[in-house]
Amino acid sequence: ADVASAIVNSLQLELPRRLQASFFEVVQRAARDTSGDISYTDLIALFRKTYNYGVPTPSRISLKSFNLENVGEGGRKQMTADLVWDGVDHNLRGEGSGALSAVLAMLNSHIDGTLSIKEYAEHSIGEGSDVQAASYVELAYDSQGKRTTAWGVSSDTDITASGLKAVLRAASALEGVVLKKLANGH
């Protein structure tokens, strides 16, 4: 509870319970490595580094731009996204029932294995015209009979972009999520 309070007070992020538990394990490991003492400043820095939140170094997979369009009837969405994946620009497409399912379809068609969302949460930060959306995504990665999970955290003035960035940050944190060789970078 103290760890979650520190994150709320410093970053205005209201972490979902499962993310609180996950980050608490990170804090416990860091405390063991530093003889049990972690300052408030170090705790916030550890959160930022662990989830690549508000740090100058981009994630392995980062979003430059995206376009989301309705396709056909039934509310299907097609996403076209310009991503930087391990330092290389790529233009990828995916289709789904919404923005998050479209980005997962896009990623899954270009990796070995399957990514799926285990948990998604969001809330607003601030109010009025300066409001931002904070998004939290726990992704599961199934590959070669093994399942791993990771969290992604993001905030943006655009709620869709916030969710997409959280998905990409979670995917970036998962070992083994590697882009297949693409013809012409697409």
Side-chain angles (χ1 to χ4, degrees):
D2 291 340
V3 171
S5 294
I7 300 302
V8 167
N9 292 334
S10 178
L11 302 175
Q12 297 180 305
L13 298 176
E14 300 167 12
L15 307 182
R17 290 252 183 245
R18 288 171 49 85
L19 177 53
Q20 288 179 28
S22 179
F23 183 56
F24 187 67
E25 290 176 14
V26 172
V27 171
Q28 285 181 315
R29 283 191 301 273
R32 277 195 305 267
D33 294 344
T34 60
S35 303
D37 292 329
I38 296 180
S39 71
Y40 182 85
T41 303
D42 290 342
L43 179 70
I44 301 308
L46 180 63
F47 180 87
R48 288 182 182 277
K49 180 180 176 194
T50 300
Y51 301 105
N52 202 35
Y53 183 79
V55 296
T57 306
S59 298
R60 283 187 39 242
I61 310 165
S62 59
L63 181 68
K64 288 176 69 175
S65 65
F66 71 95
N67 184 36
L68 194 62
E69 296 179 20
N70 292 323
V71 290
E73 300 200 14
R76 302 275 310 158
K77 307 286 186 206
Q78 181 178 35
M79 175 177 293
T80 304
D82 290 319
L83 304 178
V84 178
W85 195 313
D86 291 328
V88 179
D89 289 348
H90 296 280
N91 180 274
L92 304 177
R93 286 192 168 85
E95 188 176 311
S97 58
L100 298 182
S101 62
V103 76
L104 285 176
M106 177 178 59
L107 294 172
N108 285 333
S109 68
H110 291 91
I111 64 171
D112 290 322
T114 305
L115 294 167
S116 58
I117 294 176
K118 283 189 70 171
E119 185 167 336
Y120 176 81
E122 62 187 26
H123 65 83
S124 62
I125 299 174
E127 55 187 57
S129 62
D130 293 332
V131 72
Q132 289 201 355
S135 300
Y136 311 90
V137 173
E138 183 181 20
L139 276 187
Y141 178 53
D142 294 298
S143 180
Q144 301 174 1
K146 183 180 171 189
R147 177 174 254 215
T148 56
T149 63
W151 281 93
V153 178
S154 182
S155 61
D156 196 287
T157 55
D158 180 321
I159 193 168
T160 302
S162 179
L164 296 174
K165 289 176 182 178
V167 167
L168 295 175
R169 286 185 179 155
S172 295
L174 288 162
E175 287 187 37
V177 175
V178 178
L179 188 65
K180 293 178 190 174
K181 188 168 179 102
L182 304 176
N184 300 324
H186 299 285

